[in-house]
Amino acid sequence: MSSYPQTAAKTSGDAPHRFDPNFTQSVIDAMGPKTDPRLRFVMSSLIRHLHDFTREVELTVDEWMAGVKFINLIGQTSTATRNEAHRMSDVLGLESLVDEIAHKHINESGEEPTSSSILGPFWSPNAPFRELGGSIIQDGVPPNGQPTLMHGVITDLDTKNPIPGAVIDIWQASANGKYDFQDPENQTPNNLRGKFRCNEKGEYWFYCLKPTAYSLPTDGAAGELFRALDRHPMRPAHIHLMMTAEGYKPVTTQLYPRDDPYVTNDTVFAVKDDLLIDFHPREGDPNAILDLEYNVRLAPREGKTAPMDGISRL
């Protein structure tokens, strides 16, 4: 029990509190006057929710210690190329929820920019700029790979005009379900990654692969959670995209083949209906057997488009 003075505080039903009613506030009040105001707000709410949860389930000592060991396992699983804490945020739906809060924008006409989705742990700042119309398949088409011409136009949400010079950054797993730095035996650095700058008409086009569904690693903390909760580890096939242009809010998203069996139960809860896409046969192109058109709408940073009322960024 707390060493702070205890009162005979009552609940709304005049029953005495089962646990010390002053303890949580005493922990919050331990923050000093130099604490950043936003940090104070966030931590106060976190402490209250954490304490309320602990009281609600009446967490046992053994359960608490199991949680401590699990958090340690997250750190022990992480490496220079594997961010297990990021993955845990994904499989618990936290990153998808943060994404929803941070990117819920709408303009006065009621139209929305291209939907965002989670960044995930595999983005790299080192992806090279490639020539418009080039290919990100730098190591050749892998077995079972389906080369695809992806193309579209990036436009202004409000004016509908194209955005010349907008940049589209793409990355994806290979046909074996692995990203370049996970797969040094089969892939060179920056394979299936690249940035492309739109032409004066806001158009982009390049060659990539139709994506493949894959399992998240199950040999660490996330795998322990999957087994404990009887959950599968599969991500639907997807292509990662990040679109940027000067004066516009950037969009990070993922595209999913509509026919993938895991789009209805993505293990990181990132699929949205308007991010489902269709691939079509492509004829007469020696570099691709499939065609994918995807147009992008970016919202201006200023002007009509603004965060929805009551929503703020962390």
Side-chain angles (χ1 to χ4, degrees):
M1 297 294 284
S2 168
S3 60
Y4 288 80
Q6 299 179 31
T7 65
K10 304 286 186 178
T11 64
S12 58
D14 290 332
H17 281 280
R18 178 170 171 79
F19 303 106
D20 181 357
N22 302 311
F23 179 73
T24 296
Q25 191 60 48
S26 73
V27 175
I28 293 172
D29 290 344
M31 286 184 279
K34 296 181 181 179
T35 304
D36 175 81
R38 175 62 179 173
L39 180 59
R40 181 185 298 276
F41 174 77
V42 171
M43 288 303 300
S44 295
S45 181
L46 174 63
I47 291 167
R48 289 192 186 97
H49 282 287
L50 181 61
H51 287 201
D52 286 346
F53 153 75
T54 304
R55 294 185 186 98
E56 178 183 347
V57 302
E58 297 196 12
L59 200 67
T60 68
V61 172
D62 288 344
E63 290 167 340
W64 162 73
M65 183 51 68
V68 170
K69 292 179 179 178
F70 183 74
I71 292 173
N72 287 341
L73 179 59
I74 294 173
Q76 293 160 0
T77 304
S78 296
T79 68
T81 57
R82 179 172 177 175
N83 190 333
E84 197 73 0
H86 194 154
R87 181 167 290 114
M88 288 302 305
S89 293
D90 288 350
V91 302
L92 291 174
L94 178 59
E95 188 178 5
S96 288
L97 181 56
V98 170
D99 169 73
E100 179 187 9
I101 294 169
H103 294 90
K104 195 66 173 179
H105 301 292
I106 191 166
N107 77 355
E108 290 179 351
S109 69
E111 295 176 288
E112 295 186 18
T114 293
S115 287
S116 59
S117 189
I118 64 174
L119 175 67
F122 298 118
W123 176 75
S124 170
N126 302 317
F129 271 94
R130 301 184 189 270
E131 290 294 324
L132 197 60
S135 177
I136 64 172
I137 313 170
Q138 69 182 28
D139 292 340
V141 178
N144 302 317
Q146 295 178 283
T148 299
L149 178 70
M150 182 172 174
H151 56 96
V153 181
I154 300 181
T155 57
D156 183 302
L157 171 68
D158 294 330
T159 68
K160 310 300 187 292
N161 292 330
I163 306 175
V167 173
I168 182 166
D169 184 351
I170 175 176
W171 65 103
Q172 63 178 143
S174 189
N176 62 1
K178 295 182 179 181
Y179 293 81
D180 53 354
F181 57 79
Q182 297 176 305
D183 193 26
E185 297 85 1
N186 301 295
Q187 300 183 58
T188 57
N190 292 317
N191 183 48
L192 297 174
R193 299 180 184 271
K195 300 186 184 79
F196 297 88
R197 194 177 299 278
C198 293
N199 65 12
E200 67 280 358
K201 298 179 181 179
E203 298 169 329
Y204 73 86
W205 65 96
F206 53 76
Y207 292 94
C208 60
L209 293 177
K210 182 180 181 182
T212 304
Y214 61 82
S215 171
L216 296 185
T218 59
D219 58 339
E224 290 293 331
L225 185 68
F226 290 142
R227 287 184 284 273
L229 301 183
D230 190 27
R231 282 178 48 182
H232 74 77
M234 296 299 296
R235 287 231 62 205
H238 58 279
I239 295 173
H240 290 273
L241 297 173
M242 183 185 295
M243 283 75 66
T244 56
E246 185 176 356
Y248 291 86
K249 294 170 183 172
V251 171
T252 299
T253 197
Q254 299 179 24
L255 303 181
Y256 306 89
R258 193 182 308 275
D259 58 357
D260 189 280
Y262 294 103
V263 293
T264 57
N265 58 352
D266 178 14
T267 197
V268 303
F269 314 102
V271 177
K272 299 177 182 178
D273 289 344
D274 60 340
L275 298 178
L276 299 177
I277 52 174
D278 298 295
F279 291 79
H280 300 285
R282 183 170 179 82
E283 299 179 357
D285 188 336
N287 298 314
I289 61 174
L290 297 174
D291 185 278
L292 172 62
E293 180 178 4
Y294 190 73
N295 298 315
V296 177
R297 301 180 306 278
L298 295 184
R301 284 189 179 275
E302 305 296 338
K304 300 192 289 186
T305 305
M308 295 180 66
D309 290 343
I311 302 296
S312 62
R313 290 182 184 271
L314 282 175

